[in-house]
Amino acid sequence: MVYALIIHTIVPGTCRIMYSCTFGQEDAIKRAGTEEDKVPSGSDLRTGRKQNLYRVAQLVQSEYGFRRAVTGRTVEGDLQKLNTDDTLPEFELGFIRLPSGEPFQNEKMVVWLGAVNCGFTLVCEKTENRLLAENVMKLLIRYLQEHVRILNQPAEVMLKVDKVAMVLDKFLPGGQLLFMNHRLVRQYEKELETGMKS
């Protein structure tokens, strides 16, 4: 099961979460700087969840920056390829294991893809299938690019939350990673087109 999806900036500088969605609920949110045993509720729970997702986004941003420095690829080159060929750029792919308590109560696995200035991160249970998570994320990116132009205009994701939610509902329903063959993907694609037009 996927615990969270995060869409965030990945270029050096301040990491900015443009969209996040959580599925299910963590047993308890680790609260930064406190030793309290009580389970937070309401706004404390939301704040703790946001802080944890922000920490994950920063980890991914750091990993992405390191890989970009090693390979020598530039954001401008990826953006130019995207604008001229209208094809998706080559994504950096990574996996990060988060031990218990760092920042979530239970051990989690992070699968991320990054290109241009967008990072797409899935926070999954440690037993989740990594290849399946990667494939589902590539489908999400493909349809988010088609309907929201997320790689060209990352800020659009904040203005078109309804379209992002439709894509997530089709390809990541309730945080479940689905095995999908080409026929099912085509069917979901047609349903998504119909939903976007109405």
Side-chain angles (χ1 to χ4, degrees), residues 5 19 21 23 140 162-176 178 188 191-192:
L5 166 78
Y19 182 87
C21 180
F23 307 97
L140 289 172
D162 55 335
K163 290 185 177 184
V164 175
M166 284 176 132
V167 172
L168 288 179
D169 189 48
K170 283 293 172 203
F171 296 101
L172 192 64
Q176 297 295 320
L178 304 176
Y188 284 171
E191 291 174 7
L192 191 59

Side-chain angles (χ1 to χ4, degrees), residues 6-24:
I6 312 168
I7 301 173
H8 55 94
T9 58
I10 51 176
V11 294
T14 304
C15 183
R16 184 173 163 202
I17 295 179
M18 295 178 285
Y19 182 87
S20 67
C21 180
T22 56
F23 307 97

Side-chain angles (χ1 to χ4, degrees), residues 73-85:
R73 286 179 43 213
T74 63
V75 172
E76 292 79 19
D78 284 347
L79 194 56
Q80 183 179 7
K81 180 180 177 184
L82 182 66
N83 289 333
T84 56
D85 301 340

Side-chain angles (χ1 to χ4, degrees), residues 50 125 144:
K50 284 181 183 179
E125 297 300 328
L144 286 172

Side-chain angles (χ1 to χ4, degrees), residues 60-72:
V60 170
Q61 180 189 32
S62 174
E63 178 83 15
Y64 178 81
F66 172 74
R67 289 183 184 203
R68 278 295 177 145
V70 170
T71 60

